[in-house]
């Protein structure tokens, strides 16, 4: 299994540009999430999904859209990039086991918005 | 108040030392607790789950105090390879809360020779 994969690894955008961060998992996990990590802030939840066709907002959803048309894929779209969206983005997937929801993370996408 | 709070450190300890990290959480409905480890510029990886009775995995011991809403991680006989950021993580289970973890800001540990 490849686990959780993310593309691209690095990206530089200009203010106002749009782009999609790709995330895929091959573990047949029900739950998928997007986080951003900024220095001193820890990981903050952007959007998450509890199954195909079902998404919900996390702590910092503004400026981002998601969709979950398949179990495997959970892309994150930046509608109009802003410098405040410069961050490291992690995608994660998980499933319930013994009542616990243990998340597995992708390697991250480092995004710079100029 | 942050939902999950940790002492950011950094903690600088010699090899062989014992070091303890603390974490508090504010949501009393939290039911699932973890410690993750994150190496520099890498993704977080699960170190261990934390159970109510406390649990041990080799040199690592985790404790949970639900009454005080407090979680701890003890590392014994520290190794150079333990140098990393340790993240305290909680989850409120049920309904649409699955897939939705809350992270502390992390505690930085550096183990030196």
């Amino acid at each position: 299994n490849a686990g959780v994969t993310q593309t691209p690894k690095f990206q530089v955008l200009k203010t106002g540009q749009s782009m999609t961060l790709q995330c895929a998992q091959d573990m047949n996990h029900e739950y998928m999430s997007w986080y951003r990590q900024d220095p001193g802030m820890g990981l903050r939840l952007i959007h998450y999904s509890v199954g195909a066709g079902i998404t919900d907002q996390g702590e910092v959803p503004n400026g981002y859209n998601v969709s979950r048309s398949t179990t495997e894929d959970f892309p994150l779209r930046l509608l109009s990039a802003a410098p405040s969206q410069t961050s490291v983005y992690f995608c994660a997937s998980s499933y319930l086991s013994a009542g616990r929801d243990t998340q597995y993370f992708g390697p991250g996408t480092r995004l710079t918005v100029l | 108040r942050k939902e999950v709070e940790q002492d950011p450190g950094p903690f600088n300890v010699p090899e062989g030392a014992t070091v303890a990290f603390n974490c508090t959480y504010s949501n009393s409905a939290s039911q699932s607790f973890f410690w993750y480890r994150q190496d520099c510029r890498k993704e977080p990886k699960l170190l261990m789950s934390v159970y109510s009775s406390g649990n041990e995995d080799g040199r690592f011991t985790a404790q949970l105090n639900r009454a005080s809403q407090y979680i701890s991680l003890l590392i014994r006989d520290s190794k150079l390879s333990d140098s990393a950021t340790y993240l305290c993580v909680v989850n409120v289970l049920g309904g649409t809360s699955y897939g939705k973890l809350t992270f502390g800001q992390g505690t930085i540990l550096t183990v030196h020779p």
Side-chain angles (χ1 to χ4, degrees):
Chain A
N1 286 352
V4 181
T5 58
Q6 290 183 239
T7 56
K9 285 188 167 54
F10 302 93
Q11 183 70 50
V12 178
L13 292 178
K14 294 181 180 177
T15 297
Q17 286 185 313
S18 62
M19 79 159 295
T20 299
L21 279 61
Q22 300 292 345
C23 175
Q25 53 97 2
D26 60 0
M27 298 175 282
N28 203 32
H29 286 172
E30 290 178 82
Y31 315 120
M32 297 186 76
S33 312
W34 275 102
Y35 297 86
R36 60 177 288 174
Q37 186 173 32
D38 302 294
M41 299 290 289
L43 278 83
R44 292 181 293 168
L45 183 67
I46 305 171
H47 286 284
Y48 67 108
S49 168
V50 298
I54 308 169
T55 64
D56 204 351
Q57 295 181 349
E59 182 186 352
V60 288
N62 292 342
Y64 308 95
N65 272 357
V66 292
S67 60
R68 183 105 180 264
S69 55
T70 66
T71 301
E72 295 78 19
D73 299 299
F74 191 43
L76 178 72
R77 281 182 289 278
L78 278 70
L79 308 172
S80 177
S84 60
Q85 293 179 305
T86 294
S87 188
V88 182
Y89 291 85
F90 289 104
C91 178
S93 74
S94 61
Y95 69 105
L96 276 188
S97 175
R100 282 182 173 258
D101 169 15
T102 304
Q103 294 200 339
Y104 299 86
F105 285 83
T109 294
R110 283 165 175 75
L111 176 68
T112 301
V113 183
L114 302 175
Chain B
R1 181 185 173 189
K2 291 182 182 175
E3 283 195 55
V4 180
E5 294 207 57
Q6 297 179 245
D7 179 350
F11 286 66
N12 290 292
V13 303
E15 275 185 289
T18 296
V19 61
F21 303 140
N22 302 320
C23 170
T24 57
Y25 61 95
S26 60
N27 188 342
S28 59
S30 299
Q31 295 177 273
S32 187
F33 309 92
F34 308 91
W35 284 100
Y36 277 72
R37 170 195 168 124
Q38 186 174 26
D39 294 299
C40 188
R41 301 181 69 79
K42 298 286 189 180
E43 73 272 23
K45 291 186 178 176
L46 179 66
L47 178 66
M48 59 195 303
S49 298
V50 186
Y51 298 102
S52 295
S53 54
N55 48 297
E56 188 174 305
D57 183 2
R59 299 182 292 109
F60 299 85
T61 301
Q63 298 280 351
L64 169 65
N65 184 322
R66 285 186 185 271
S68 303
Q69 296 183 194
Y70 169 91
I71 307 161
S72 66
L73 177 68
L74 183 76
I75 305 175
R76 292 182 300 279
D77 189 23
S78 299
K79 311 290 185 193
L80 295 176
S81 57
D82 293 334
S83 297
T85 298
Y86 290 83
L87 303 167
C88 177
V89 183
V90 304
N91 182 215
V92 176
L93 296 178
T96 57
S97 291
Y98 296 118
K100 188 178 174 184
L101 300 184
T102 302
F103 286 76
Q105 74 269 41
T107 298
I108 299 170
L109 171 66
T110 301
V111 181
H112 57 82

